[in-house]
Amino acid sequence: MNSAYHRRVPSVSSLANATSKQLQSKPSALLVPVGSTEQHGPHLPLDTDTRIATAVCGAVADRLADTDGVNWMVAPAIGYGASGEHEEFSGTVSIGTSALRLLLVEYGRSASRWASRLVFVNGHGGNVEALAAATALLRYEGRDAGWCSCTVAGADAHAGHTETSVLLHISPQDVRIDERVPGNMAPLRELIPELRRGGVAAVSEVGVLGDPTTATVEDGARIFPDMVETCLRRITRWAPDRDGMLT
């Protein structure tokens, strides 16, 4: 697996590459990557979360191809999220929870006019509040929507071993290997109070929570399929909770 995951290339599952006529031939369902534009330390690109969510969506769509006669499509990513905790770092662009919630609601209302099912695939933890509120409303309005996150057990918090390993796997040319430095490696639960008061800059001068220097391509090749399998299993099972999160 390589950088083809996040490049826009012709694909039968790419909404951007499809025509309206093609989508009329059979029922369609939509996978929507939801990411962010925010600092990821000195070594990872600002769109790291968006790349990961997009790559997961592409792999899931391949696995779901022609399931029950449904045409699973991957939408162009929503590349801005609620990233206020990173705004002390250059390059971060946050639209906040309220704006993201409204965007997701209106997106879902519009897409549901032709898509039989809608799944938001999230790559950034700060988006969860907006995703839960928006998807709960969409479901209350009678739309078949759900969401899941690109997570794995034991992951570190931000721009550390986990995300760096995944990027080395899906987008190796964009990881600045020589710029990797360890960040704050304390458990996230211990950092939450200070994070809420002062954002990531209050607990890490380099914007990293974890240790990217230990990241490897091999770990990325193990972690990424786990992300895909988790989302695939939740989508296939389709058991949204009260907030629309797929369990």
Side-chain angles (χ1 to χ4, degrees), residues 50-239:
T50 309
R51 293 188 191 213
I52 292 173
T54 300
V56 169
C57 282
V60 168
D62 287 344
R63 296 281 296 277
L64 289 173
D66 295 322
T67 301
D68 297 326
V70 175
N71 186 27
W72 283 91
M73 308 295 293
V74 178
I78 296 173
Y80 295 94
S83 303
E85 69 274 20
H86 297 283
E87 285 183 319
E88 295 300 318
F89 295 89
S90 298
T92 299
V93 179
S94 173
I95 63 173
T97 295
S98 296
L100 180 60
R101 174 189 175 278
L102 180 59
L103 187 158
L104 295 171
V105 168
E106 293 302 331
Y107 189 113
R109 287 170 174 167
S110 180
S112 294
R113 293 178 64 88
W114 57 267
S116 60
R117 177 165 284 178
L118 178 70
V119 184
F120 296 115
V121 178
N122 180 44
H124 171 53
N127 295 339
V128 167
E129 182 179 346
L131 280 160
T135 310
L137 178 58
L138 290 170
R139 292 190 60 77
Y140 175 78
E141 293 175 342
R143 296 170 174 89
D144 197 13
W147 66 277
C148 59
S149 288
C150 305
T151 57
V152 291
D156 50 10
H158 185 73
H161 179 92
T162 304
E163 287 186 315
T164 305
S165 293
V166 172
L167 261 289
L168 284 171
H169 176 57
I170 66 171
S171 195
Q173 74 281 1
D174 294 315
V175 179
R176 293 160 177 80
I177 296 292
D178 295 339
E179 297 289 338
R180 295 182 298 171
V181 291
N184 193 327
M185 289 180 280
L188 185 59
R189 63 181 180 276
E190 296 178 10
L191 300 176
I192 289 295
E194 193 63 25
L195 278 169
R196 287 175 174 166
R197 286 192 292 268
V200 172
V203 298
S204 175
E205 292 183 1
V206 296
V208 175
L209 303 178
D211 187 1
T213 67
T214 63
T216 65
V217 175
E218 292 75 18
D219 279 348
R222 172 183 55 81
I223 295 167
F224 179 76
D226 284 349
M227 290 180 172
V228 173
E229 287 295 333
T230 297
C231 285
L232 179 65
R233 183 172 60 251
R234 293 181 177 187
I235 292 168
T236 303
R237 182 168 179 254
W238 201 257

Side-chain angles (χ1 to χ4, degrees), residues 23-41:
L23 296 178
Q24 295 170 0
S25 61
K26 61 181 178 179
S28 295
L30 193 60
L31 297 165
V32 186
V34 184
S36 69
T37 300
E38 63 181 41
Q39 72 83 23
H40 273 76

